[in-house]
Amino acid sequence: MLCRAALRSSSARLFSTSAARQTKVAVLGAGGGIGQPLSLLLKSDPLVSSLSLYDIRGAPGVAADVSHVDTASEVTGYPADKIDAALDGVQVVVIPAGVPRKPGMTRDDLFNTNASIVRDLATAVARASPSAHILVISNPVNSTVPIVAAALEKAGVFDPRRLFGITTLDVVRAQRFLAGIVESDPRQTPVTVIGGHSGATIVPLLSQSQYGKGIKGETYDKLVHRIQFGGDEVVKAKDGAGSATLSMAYAGAKFTNLLLRGLNGEKGVITPTFVRSPLYESQGIDFFSSSVELGLQGVEKIHPIGDISPEEEKLLAACLPELKKNIEKGKAFVAPN
Ligand code: NAD
Ligand code: LMR
């Protein structure tokens, strides 16, 4: 049995609590494989004062269950027809709603189903909580984030400082896989991952890591491949029962905590995330993941990618055209006014 101190310290490892203001957070898709553990982890985050759980199926049950956890936050579940009530007064909206992959599928194969789910949820946020920060998990992230932006733009409430594609799982994997090779502590093995969130668009900058810069040859190629295609490992192992849920819930809760710390005024909160970005705008790519400083308004500063190795130049060259296609597909889905 875990004692109270052990529970406190395991929660402290995931969540930093240095800031004071607390926040109402909504999870849209709270009944799903990611939504349920994500809701549980957010219930454990001291920066979350109130948790609003919404799904077209099962959210009141998940809320009743999670609400018994002995942390201070209030939890309410909302059924399918209560989206506006679920979003009332919410400052942060996390969206894991949508279908996951089965073996043999790409993330882009999810577009036909998930594009309309995400567009409709973004339209609801624009109506019910137009100044909320929106954190998109639903795949394909490279397209769903531009869809959310276009839906918000159509409603006249788009603020690029408040929209994030969560690419934290790529960072979590990069740190874990690299640490496994060099036998370091994964939490002390930071890796910046840039680009997007699918296959070749995922570009780990190992040359910028004190542990990663020495990795060469076949070991390097295998590590990069594993980071880019880590999602496939899970899809294959789950054998038709879905994709990463638990590690994604962890990554989603981690990113949400980082954003809340920035919103609370903590300085120097920097992490990769997929945002509206000027870095490759001249090449027609206006969404990109790079290290972003999070602050009182959300995106505070988008950092340049910095010096990269010749291998990483090649990875980036493969990333950009695919990312551009994914972004354009998302934008085209939401017809302008
Ligand atoms: P899941 O099928 O277990 O859960 C999805 C949930 O969304 C279900 O409970 C469903 O009822 C709900 N839902 C569907 N339409 C909805 C709507 N209109 N409003 C509210 N809820 C709705 O799937 P999952 O495993 O939780 O994965 C969810 C999504 O997250 C998938 O698209 C998956 O590809 C993606 N994902 C992204 C990352 C990432 O790194 N960004 C990682 C893992 C999974
Ligand atoms: C992941 O990276 O695990 C997710 O994007 C889910 C998937 O489809 O692989």
Side-chain angles (χ1 to χ4, degrees):
M1 198 174 76
L2 279 176
C3 70
R4 213 170 253 274
L7 272 174
R8 260 201 310 271
S9 90
S10 71
S11 143
R13 260 185 263 128
L14 178 56
F15 303 125
S16 170
T17 59
S18 55
R21 197 188 68 163
Q22 297 190 323
T23 310
K24 184 169 184 184
V25 175
V27 179
L28 310 184
I34 296 167
Q36 293 199 33
L38 175 61
S39 300
L40 175 64
L41 291 170
L42 293 174
K43 177 75 175 92
S44 306
D45 186 335
L47 295 181
V48 177
S49 56
S50 172
L51 203 47
S52 196
L53 305 184
Y54 173 81
D55 199 299
I56 52 170
R57 264 185 301 274
V62 175
D65 190 351
V66 165
S67 73
H68 289 188
V69 170
D70 62 350
T71 56
S73 48
E74 299 294 335
V75 186
T76 313
Y78 296 89
D81 60 341
K82 291 282 182 280
I83 181 99
D84 284 25
L87 291 168
D88 187 41
V90 157
Q91 286 113 326
V92 173
V93 180
V94 192
I95 308 184
V99 294
R101 284 197 288 163
K102 289 190 182 341
M105 292 173 82
T106 66
R107 292 181 183 80
D108 189 54
D109 292 334
L110 303 173
F111 187 97
N112 286 345
T113 309
N114 289 352
S116 54
I117 292 176
V118 165
R119 177 201 56 203
D120 295 348
L121 291 175
T123 304
V125 177
R127 183 177 64 238
S129 52
S131 55
H133 297 263
I134 303 180
L135 284 49
V136 182
I137 292 173
S138 319
N139 271 317
V141 167
N142 295 355
S143 303
T144 51
V145 171
I147 287 172
V148 171
L152 296 175
E153 215 153 23
K154 203 169 173 182
V157 298
F158 178 50
D159 181 339
R161 296 173 302 175
R162 297 199 292 251
L163 175 60
F164 309 85
I166 303 192
T167 54
T168 311
L169 184 52
D170 302 318
V171 175
V172 164
R173 284 182 180 138
Q175 297 186 173
R176 183 67 193 95
F177 300 161
L178 173 60
I181 294 171
V182 301
E183 297 182 0
S184 59
D185 174 353
R187 289 165 197 272
Q188 308 301 327
T189 311
V191 179
T192 302
V193 182
I194 63 166
H197 176 68
S198 73
T201 71
I202 298 170
V203 179
L205 301 183
L206 295 165
S207 71
Q208 295 180 358
S209 151
Q210 60 159 313
Y211 293 106
K213 65 185 175 202
I215 308 253
K216 303 284 177 212
E218 199 187 334
T219 310
Y220 175 82
D221 293 341
K222 279 190 173 155
L223 175 58
V224 169
H225 185 272
R226 192 165 183 219
I227 295 166
Q228 291 186 322
F229 295 93
D232 295 29
E233 268 183 38
V234 183
V235 170
K236 192 164 170 240
K238 290 200 174 179
D239 197 19
S243 56
T245 53
L246 303 173
S247 50
M248 182 59 232
Y250 170 85
K254 191 169 184 169
F255 181 79
T256 305
N257 178 259
L258 290 170
L259 176 65
L260 294 178
R261 285 163 54 189
L263 294 179
N264 277 285
E266 187 176 327
K267 298 286 175 212
V269 181
I270 300 172
T271 191
T273 171
F274 189 70
V275 294
R276 177 79 185 259
S277 170
L279 293 184
Y280 293 93
E281 214 168 9
S282 63
Q283 298 181 42
I285 298 163
D286 49 5
F287 290 87
F288 194 81
S289 182
S290 68
S291 288
V292 171
E293 181 158 359
L294 302 168
L296 290 170
Q297 308 298 327
V299 174
E300 182 89 21
K301 182 174 176 199
I302 294 170
H303 289 266
I305 64 168
D307 292 336
I308 62 173
S309 67
E311 289 84 0
E312 289 158 359
E313 292 281 7
K314 277 193 214 141
L315 294 175
L316 193 55
C319 156
L320 293 177
E322 193 173 325
L323 188 53
K324 185 167 188 228
K325 233 175 27 197
N326 296 159
I327 293 168
E328 281 167 359
K329 187 171 175 180
K331 285 182 179 171
F333 180 76
V334 183
N337 284 320

